[in-house]
Amino acid sequence: MFLPESKDAVMRPDKRMRPIGVTAMVAGVGLALLLTGCTGSSKKAASGPSSGSTPADAQKVFDRPAYQGARWLYQIEDLDTGKVLASNRANELVFTASTGKQFTVGTAYDSLGADSRLTTPVYASGPVADGVLSGNLTLVASGDLTLGGRDADKDKAANAFSDTATDHVYGDIAPNALPAPGDPLAGLNSLAGQVAAKGIKLIKGDVLVDDRLWDPYTAQEGPVPSVYVNDNLLDLVVTPGQEGQPGVVSTTPQTAAFKVDNQVTTVAGKDASLKVAADPVDPHLLHLTGTVGASSGPRMTVYRVKDAASWARTLFVEALNRAGVLVTAESTAANNSGLLTARASYGAATPVATFKSPPLSAFGDLILETSYNTGANALLCLIAVHSGSTNCTDGLKVIHQLASKAGMNDKNLILVDGQGGDGESSTSVDMIKWLRFAMKQPWGKAMREGQPVLGETGTLAGVGRNGAGKGKIAAKTGTSARPDEGNGRTFFNVQSLAGFMTAANGHTLVFNISMSGGVYTDILQGLAQSNEDVATVAVAFEQSLE
C-alpha cells in the first residue's frame, strides 16, 4: 500500500500542515488488486458462529453503512493460556496488507539476529603515495537503511511520526510530512573522515558504489536498492513569500546532485499544492511547481531518487571534499559500475573506512512504526542474502519455512513481497500463531517493542489519543484500498490491526482484526474513518475482555 497509514494525522494536520487535496492522495494508491467474494453481513459469520460476545462499541462500528457489505474477521487470545476470547471468521483468508510486515521483520530477526549490525566498508583499489590514491575508492553497500541518518548514532532509527505529522517517506502524498530526524549524511561524513585520516588527500581514479549485494529487485512500490542515504529522497521544503512572489526552497540534503527550477507561487490562504518532476532531458534538473499559502508555514514534498547508487556516489564525493579529500572525477557523474572489481576481491583487502549500523531491531522498529515499504523489502533481500541467495524473492522461502515452524498452515499463507503488498493473504488464526511463536523467541521482545502504540507512536500516534485504550494496544496497521476514478468511491480490500493488547486484568492478549470490503464516498474519508474504526473495535475488546 502506498498511502500513509496514519490517516488520523493526515486528516487532522497541525497549523503548518493542512491537506493538499485529494488528487495527491489518490495518486499514491496505485492499482490495487480487488478481492472477490467479499460479501456477507458484518453481523454474521459465514464459517460458523462467532465466539465470545461482541462489545456494544464494536457492534456500533459493524453496523455503520460503510460496512454493510464487509467482512469483519478477528481472533483474540490470551497470550499465556492460549484461551480464545473472541473469534469471528478467523479461518478465512484476507489480505494482510502491511500487517504482513510482521512476517518479514520477525524472519529477519530470526535469520540475522535482532542485535546484529550491518557494516559498510570502503576500499581503495590502488596504491597511495604522498597522499595520492592512484585508483578507485569503492563504497560497498551493506543494506544499511539509514547510513548514519535518523539518529543512528543513538542506536536507533528515529521517525517523524506524531499525532500531527507523518514521516518524509510519505512526503509526496501526505500534506503533513516532516523530514526524518538526524543528519542524513552522518554515515558518509564518518567514512570520508576516516579516508582523510588514512592520509589520502587526492583521488585520481573514480569514486564508486558497489550495490551488488543482491540482484536488482522491484517490488510494488518500486526499486529496492542495497544503498540508502536519506531514504533515497531529496526533501524540498517551501517557505511562502509575499503573495504573488515565489516561495523559498531549501533541500535536504544540500547537494549538487540536483538543481531545482522553483516555479512555486505564493497565494492567499493556508493551503498548498506542490509537485516535483525531473526534466525529461536533464535528469539532474527538477521542476518544482504549484502554490503555497502565504499563511501556511513551511510545506514539503520529496523527490524519489531513481538511481540510488549514483545518488550515494555524489553525496560521498561531496563528503570527501568536505573532509579535505579532492576527487578528480566529476561529482555528479553516474556511478560507473563497469569499474567495479569482483566482489570476492574484497575478502582479501583491508578497508580504509567502515561504518556500522544501529542494531537490526532499530530498522525493524522503523519499518513497523512507519510501515516503511521499501525498508521492509530491503529486509526481505537481506534475508535472502543471509540464506546464500542474491535473488530477493528467495527470502519468501525462508519466511515460509519459519511460518511452518510456527505452526501456521502454509496453504493459507500467500506471500507477495516484504511489505505485505496486494495479494498477500493469511487468516486471523495463523497471524495469531505467528505472533505467539514470536513471543517465545529470543527476538520476541524486540518484535513487540517495535509495534506502533495506540495514541502514542508511529502509524497509531494520531488514533485514540484521548481514549481508554491509549498506550494499551501495540499493533501493526495494514491498509489496502482502491478508488473508483470516476466517482471517487473507495473500496477497502482491508483495514487491519495485528499485535498485542493489555486487558483490564493485566493479561496480555494477542489479536488480529481485519475489515474487508468497506466502501467510502471518497478516499480521504475512508483513510481516516477505517483506521479509526478498526482501532475502536480493538479498544472495545480490550476494555471488555479478561
Side-chain angles (χ1 to χ4, degrees):
M1 176 64 182
F2 308 129
L3 289 168
E5 293 178 343
S6 181
K7 293 87 180 177
D8 190 74
V10 170
M11 294 300 291
R12 298 191 298 101
D14 63 16
K15 295 179 180 179
R16 295 183 299 112
M17 300 286 186
R18 296 184 182 275
I20 293 175
V22 176
T23 302
M25 297 297 293
V26 171
V29 175
L31 299 177
L33 297 173
L34 291 176
L35 278 176
T36 57
C38 290
T39 58
S41 171
S42 59
K43 304 176 188 178
K44 182 179 179 182
S47 55
S50 61
S51 170
S53 60
T54 302
D57 286 346
Q59 190 63 52
K60 289 178 183 178
V61 173
F62 297 164
D63 291 340
R64 287 180 176 166
Y67 306 125
Q68 290 311 296
R71 296 183 297 163
W72 284 88
L73 313 92
Y74 54 83
Q75 179 96 341
I76 305 173
E77 300 179 6
D78 187 295
L79 178 61
D80 292 331
T81 67
K83 181 181 179 181
V84 177
L85 303 175
S87 180
N88 189 59
R89 308 179 77 151
N91 284 298
E92 294 182 23
L93 278 173
V94 65
F95 277 15
T96 65
S98 285
T99 60
K101 291 181 173 70
Q102 302 275 29
F103 306 134
T104 308
V105 172
T107 304
Y109 289 169
D110 192 78
S111 297
L112 286 80
D115 295 329
S116 64
R117 298 172 187 264
L118 305 175
T119 299
T120 300
V122 174
Y123 295 96
S125 62
V128 178
D130 298 325
V132 178
L133 168 60
S134 298
N136 301 321
L137 191 72
T138 304
L139 182 154
V140 181
S142 66
D144 186 337
L145 294 180
T146 58
L147 204 56
R150 294 186 177 273
D151 293 336
D153 59 323
K154 301 174 184 176
D155 267 358
K156 60 183 181 178
N159 66 77
F161 266 94
S162 71
D163 63 309
T164 58
T166 57
D167 192 84
H168 79 154
V169 294
Y170 299 111
D172 50 353
I173 55 176
N176 55 348
L178 293 177
D183 179 4
L185 302 178
L188 293 179
N189 287 338
S190 173
L191 290 168
Q194 294 175 58
V195 172
K198 286 291 195 299
I200 298 174
K201 301 300 180 185
L202 175 65
I203 300 172
K204 283 193 171 181
D206 205 343
V207 173
L208 308 172
V209 172
D210 188 338
D211 61 349
R212 301 173 296 176
L213 181 60
W214 55 72
D215 299 336
Y217 175 54
T218 300
Q220 291 187 18
E221 195 171 77
V224 183
S226 58
V227 62
Y228 295 87
V229 185
N230 201 43
D231 304 300
N232 297 335
L233 301 173
L234 179 70
D235 298 336
L236 299 104
V237 177
V238 180
T239 302
Q242 298 295 317
E243 286 187 34
Q245 298 299 310
V248 179
V249 179
S250 62
T251 65
T252 300
Q254 294 183 358
T255 174
F258 297 102
K259 296 172 290 183
V260 179
D261 168 30
N262 177 20
Q263 301 178 31
V264 177
T265 302
T266 305
V267 297
K270 298 181 179 180
D271 294 330
S273 176
L274 303 173
K275 182 179 180 181
V276 61
D279 186 90
V281 176
D282 181 2
H284 295 286
L285 176 62
L286 303 180
H287 299 289
L288 180 61
T289 58
T291 58
V292 60
S295 55
S296 70
R299 298 298 189 93
M300 78 168 289
T301 188
V302 297
Y303 176 72
R304 295 183 180 274
V305 175
K306 306 297 189 295
D307 184 348
S310 294
W311 164 252
R313 177 197 174 276
T314 292
L315 295 173
F316 189 30
V317 171
E318 292 172 340
L320 288 165
N321 289 338
R322 289 192 296 272
V325 180
L326 300 180
V327 180
T328 58
E330 182 182 353
S331 65
T332 58
N335 187 55
N336 191 347
S337 59
L339 297 178
L340 293 171
T341 61
R343 287 186 64 85
S345 67
Y346 300 133
T350 300
V352 294
T354 59
F355 186 82
K356 277 197 172 184
S357 75
L360 192 68
S361 59
F363 297 152
D365 291 351
L366 174 66
I367 291 163
L368 293 172
E369 285 194 6
T370 70
S371 206
Y372 181 23
N373 290 334
T374 303
N377 287 316
L379 281 195
L380 178 69
C381 295
L382 284 170
I383 293 168
V385 169
H386 188 268
S387 73
S389 173
T390 57
N391 183 339
C392 291
T393 58
D394 283 342
L396 300 175
K397 299 177 183 178
V398 182
I399 297 176
H400 272 291
Q401 291 167 0
L402 193 61
S404 294
K405 185 178 178 181
M408 295 174 63
N409 182 348
D410 197 53
K411 294 180 180 179
N412 285 341
L413 178 60
I414 310 300
L415 298 176
V416 174
D417 52 24
Q419 73 184 57
D422 286 325
E424 183 151 319
S425 302
S426 184
T427 67
S428 293
V429 166
D430 279 324
M431 179 63 79
I432 295 298
K433 287 181 179 178
W434 176 263
L435 295 173
R436 292 177 62 84
F437 169 78
M439 290 305 97
K440 297 176 182 178
Q441 308 310 308
W443 43 268
K445 183 174 182 289
M447 183 85 166
R448 181 172 175 177
E449 291 179 348
Q451 307 291 320
V453 178
L454 188 73
E456 295 181 358
T457 62
T459 54
L460 289 177
V463 182
R465 292 185 64 238
N466 300 312
K470 180 181 179 181
K472 298 178 182 178
I473 293 176
K476 181 71 194 74
T477 53
T479 307
S480 172
R482 166 75 183 266
D484 182 329
E485 302 292 349
N487 62 18
R489 289 176 63 80
T490 301
F491 178 86
F492 273 69
N493 295 318
V494 74
Q495 181 68 47
S496 55
L497 200 57
F500 311 90
M501 59 175 69
T502 302
N505 61 4
H507 284 206
T508 297
L509 311 183
V510 61
F511 75 97
N512 183 83
I513 299 173
S514 300
M515 179 280 295
S516 176
V519 179
Y520 295 89
T521 56
D522 67 74
I523 193 167
L524 284 178
Q525 179 202 24
L527 288 170
Q529 195 63 53
S530 65
N531 197 38
E532 189 77 35
D533 285 348
V534 172
T536 296
V537 171
V539 172
F541 279 112
E542 181 272 327
Q543 291 289 297
S544 65
L545 295 176
E546 293 186 358

